[in-house]
Amino acid sequence: MAVEEGAGTLAPTRAAQELELRRDEFQLAVQWGLIRTVPAGAPDARGGAPGGGRRRVERAEVDRLRAAPDFPMGLRERVRTVGTTEAAALLSVTPDRFTKLARTGHFSPVRFYLNRYRAVVWLYLAGELGEFALTHQSLLSGRLPQEVRDRIEAGEDRRARNWRARRLGLLLRATEDPWARAAAIASLLDPLQLAEVVDDPYERTHLDRLRPQPPSGLPASATGREIADRLMLADDPDEVLWHRMSLALALDEARQERRAPRPDGGAGGRQEPRPAATRPPRPPAFSRPPVRRARPGLLDRLRRRRRTGANAGTDPVPGAGAGAGVAMPEGEVVPRPVASME
């Protein structure tokens, strides 16, 4: 229930109304840190009793944003998303050229939807496109570099992969709990991949319980949901390998913090139902790509890098956008484009 005007915190719906944002605009603004939220269970700004449910927005935060000289258009512009046609117009290029640059990972989508033909339509932040135009003019005119043309000829399409990387980055930044962070990584792997990395059924049950909620606005039809579910699973061999290794590292940290709940109450005395001793169902063939084996010693080197705080990698391409450059192991990418994608 929304808190009355003047109270310490506001429900998301009420905050969006006062900030003159649509629901999807409000969600993006929260994800990118433009609107600060507080846990629903935290005391409000006046020291009142904690609430329940989703995260809330403090009244002071709404007042701060409304006091900006460019409110409300400035805030709305920072979360404005555009599709291929409008994005191409912003960059003064043809839609075909924009699609080629997007497929090769130069832009990172922030969301997607399915049109009436069940084709995937990717959306991009308009502000990021403007920044790209300022720093990569050479890619917007003349002949595309040979390296980009070669990747297009090979059928590369990194849009879904970059969207997953971006979403994972947001999920990891949203929590400090090591088990929740491991669950975010685990959500990108199909059941068989997950079972190969996490052989303890109690840990798999705990990760499943902490699995992040799917993005809002997913299609309701069975066919549409199948397409959306496929987009949320890693499907490139290098990508799958990287998330498997990342999950192994995240589990190391989570186990050091505390054990997963077990029937004997081994984790904080909580009694949990015993997981069914059955093998995870085999996923459809499209979500089970061949997995490239890690080079000997790679996982140990990644563990050392994490302990020392060293960066494990950099953005694979320039201008991919915030969150697009998930640190990936070196090696050739084997593209696996998604069918019927715009």
Side-chain angles (χ1 to χ4, degrees):
M1 182 178 68
V3 177
E4 294 298 328
E5 185 172 356
T9 62
L10 301 177
T13 301
R14 176 65 177 276
Q17 291 173 350
E18 296 208 11
L19 294 172
E20 302 182 31
L21 296 174
R22 299 193 307 269
R23 179 180 177 182
D24 59 336
E25 293 174 333
F26 178 83
Q27 291 172 341
L28 275 179
V30 170
Q31 289 174 351
W32 306 135
L34 300 175
I35 300 175
R36 296 190 293 264
T37 62
V38 296
D44 62 29
R46 301 185 304 171
R54 298 176 297 173
R55 294 179 67 88
R56 303 175 71 86
V57 182
E58 290 186 333
R59 162 59 63 183
E61 176 71 357
V62 173
D63 293 341
R64 178 185 71 84
L65 293 167
R66 290 179 60 89
D70 60 353
F71 178 84
M73 295 310 300
L75 180 59
R76 297 191 69 174
E77 182 62 25
R78 289 194 286 276
V79 293
R80 183 164 69 97
T81 58
V82 294
T84 297
T85 302
E86 190 174 357
L90 286 175
L91 297 178
S92 299
V93 299
T94 64
D96 178 68
R97 189 183 187 98
F98 178 85
T99 299
K100 289 179 178 178
L101 291 172
R103 282 178 175 268
T104 49
H106 292 81
F107 311 116
S108 178
V110 294
R111 62 176 58 221
F112 69 88
Y113 68 90
L114 301 185
N115 63 17
R116 59 179 177 174
Y117 305 108
R118 297 197 181 102
V120 180
V121 179
W122 294 105
L123 299 177
Y124 308 83
L125 281 177
E128 286 186 357
L129 299 179
E131 295 174 3
F132 181 91
L134 294 175
T135 56
H136 297 89
Q137 271 294 327
S138 61
L139 291 173
L140 302 180
S141 61
R143 190 173 175 84
L144 286 172
Q146 184 63 48
E147 180 261 346
V148 174
R149 286 183 278 129
D150 289 343
R151 289 159 61 189
I152 290 294
E153 286 293 325
E156 180 172 324
D157 190 344
R158 297 181 64 95
R159 291 175 294 182
R161 179 173 176 173
N162 279 355
W163 173 78
R164 287 189 293 266
R166 185 164 210 161
R167 180 169 182 265
L168 177 60
L170 294 172
L171 292 171
L172 294 178
R173 287 196 294 272
T175 180
E176 294 296 328
D177 179 70
W179 281 103
R181 293 170 65 86
I185 302 171
S187 68
L188 298 176
L189 298 174
D190 70 48
L192 281 182
Q193 300 282 3
L194 180 60
E196 290 173 0
V197 178
V198 189
D199 55 5
D200 186 330
Y202 301 106
E203 291 184 342
R204 289 201 303 272
T205 298
H206 192 47
L207 292 174
D208 186 64
R209 187 180 300 112
L210 297 175
R211 176 181 290 267
Q213 292 295 317
S216 60
L218 292 184
S221 68
T223 303
R225 191 56 185 263
E226 180 182 350
I227 296 173
D229 288 344
R230 173 169 46 164
L231 290 174
M232 287 188 287
L233 289 177
D235 65 354
D236 179 276
D238 278 348
E239 182 189 12
V240 171
L241 171 62
W242 183 252
H243 290 316
R244 286 168 63 114
M245 293 188 299
S246 297
L247 178 57
L249 294 173
L251 285 173
D252 284 349
E253 296 181 358
R255 290 160 180 157
Q256 292 175 10
E257 177 80 15
R258 65 183 184 275
R259 294 177 62 197
R262 310 183 82 81
D264 58 5
R270 292 181 57 187
Q271 297 291 331
E272 296 291 336
R274 188 177 188 88
T278 58
R279 184 175 179 82
R282 179 172 293 276
F286 62 71
S287 65
R288 180 63 174 170
V291 178
R292 184 177 300 172
R293 296 301 176 188
R295 296 188 297 277
L298 178 58
L299 192 56
D300 290 337
R301 291 201 299 275
L302 289 173
R303 286 194 176 102
R304 288 197 297 271
R305 284 184 178 183
R306 177 166 293 196
R307 286 195 298 268
T308 59
N311 187 13
T314 57
D315 280 356
V317 292
V326 170
M328 298 294 294
E330 296 177 357
E332 181 182 357
V333 174
V334 182
R336 184 182 174 84
V338 177
S340 72
M341 186 176 298
E342 287 190 349

